[in-house]
Amino acid sequence: FKITPRSGEYFVMDKSQGSVVSHTIFQCPSKLGKGVLVTPTVHGNLLVGPDARDIDDKEDTGTEAEGLSSIREASMLSTEKVNFRESIRNFAGLRATPSTGDFIVEENDEIKGFIDAAGMKSPGLSSAPAIALDVVNILEKAGCKLDRKENFEAKREQIYFKDLSPKEKSKLIKKDSKYGRIICRCESITEGEIVDAIKRSFGVLSIDGIK
């Protein structure tokens, strides 16, 4: 199979735009995907995008003025209420578009025990738990001995400083002064949260990753 990178650019809007819509607004899909959507985020912001553009470079997550302009125009078919002057971030993500037309979850024909889990575009994130179970079953059928991890941590705690009460904030700052330094005033992100993100189990290796 072959994987083609499909770039999709987005606008992240300030919380002042978070109530423009109360639900995710989809447009009619095309052969390139579900089209430009306008959606509130769980943190109270607004997300507008993406476009869809097949590219050659699997590492290219740059944005282009032309693409962002087309997103603005397309979003107006859903609502004209978005104030794009309140944009706080632009970014691009890459969908892994498979030549097979669907997710690929199977043991590799040439390498026993090697599982291909590829071509995961939307809704790959939502499907991840079910895909994981499929991979486990494939491994078991391939003869892999599986032992349940008894000390598995199903939930990793994360601190959202702005959601804490004044008492909780004070207690946290006394414990670690980095939580007393606000780095992003718009989103009330502290130095402590940034350091925590860098040190998490998967780690962060770039400025974009931290953002």
Side-chain angles (χ1 to χ4, degrees), residues 16-210:
S16 65
Q17 302 298 296
S19 59
V20 167
V21 297
S22 58
H23 296 73
T24 301
I25 309 297
F26 277 109
Q27 297 179 5
C28 292
S30 71
K31 64 180 182 179
L32 289 175
K34 298 184 179 73
V36 171
L37 58 89
V38 181
T39 180
T41 73
V42 294
H43 297 298
N45 300 84
L46 191 75
L47 201 64
V48 183
D51 59 350
R53 182 168 47 91
D54 287 346
I55 60 176
D56 296 321
D57 186 355
K58 292 177 179 166
E59 303 292 332
D60 182 3
T61 54
T63 59
E64 295 182 356
E66 184 181 349
L68 294 172
S69 179
S70 71
I71 290 170
R72 279 198 302 269
E73 290 178 18
S75 71
M76 289 181 185
L77 297 172
S78 300
T79 176
E80 295 181 352
K81 294 180 179 179
V82 180
N83 179 4
F84 282 93
R85 290 188 177 187
E86 295 294 307
S87 171
I88 60 173
R89 179 96 170 103
N90 304 129
F91 71 91
L94 299 178
R95 298 95 130 179
T97 307
S99 56
T100 59
D102 203 355
F103 296 173
I104 300 153
V105 186
E106 60 192 16
E107 185 176 16
N108 189 283
D109 290 336
E110 299 176 3
I111 308 169
K112 184 172 176 58
F114 186 95
I115 312 303
D116 285 315
M120 303 294 169
K121 55 179 186 174
S122 176
L125 183 61
S126 305
S127 308
I131 292 168
L133 292 175
D134 270 355
V135 170
V136 168
N137 290 332
I138 294 169
L139 284 170
E140 198 166 27
K141 289 176 182 175
C144 182
K145 185 176 182 298
L146 304 176
D147 295 316
R148 182 175 292 274
K149 186 176 180 180
E150 299 300 331
N151 62 343
F152 173 68
E153 293 184 32
K155 184 179 180 182
R156 297 179 177 91
E157 295 299 329
Q158 186 169 352
I159 294 170
Y160 295 101
F161 186 80
K162 65 183 174 64
D163 294 336
L164 300 178
S165 68
K167 188 176 180 180
E168 289 171 325
K169 288 178 179 177
S170 178
K171 185 178 178 181
L172 184 60
I173 291 169
K174 284 179 181 177
K175 184 178 177 182
D176 186 343
S177 63
K178 288 191 289 293
Y179 285 94
R181 290 191 282 274
I182 299 290
I183 303 300
C184 172
R185 287 184 293 173
C186 292
E187 300 295 313
S188 296
I189 303 296
T190 64
E191 181 185 351
E193 289 166 285
I194 294 171
V195 171
D196 178 56
I198 293 169
K199 290 183 175 179
R200 279 182 169 271
S201 54
F202 291 105
V204 179
L205 302 177
S206 69
I207 297 294
D208 277 344
I210 294 168

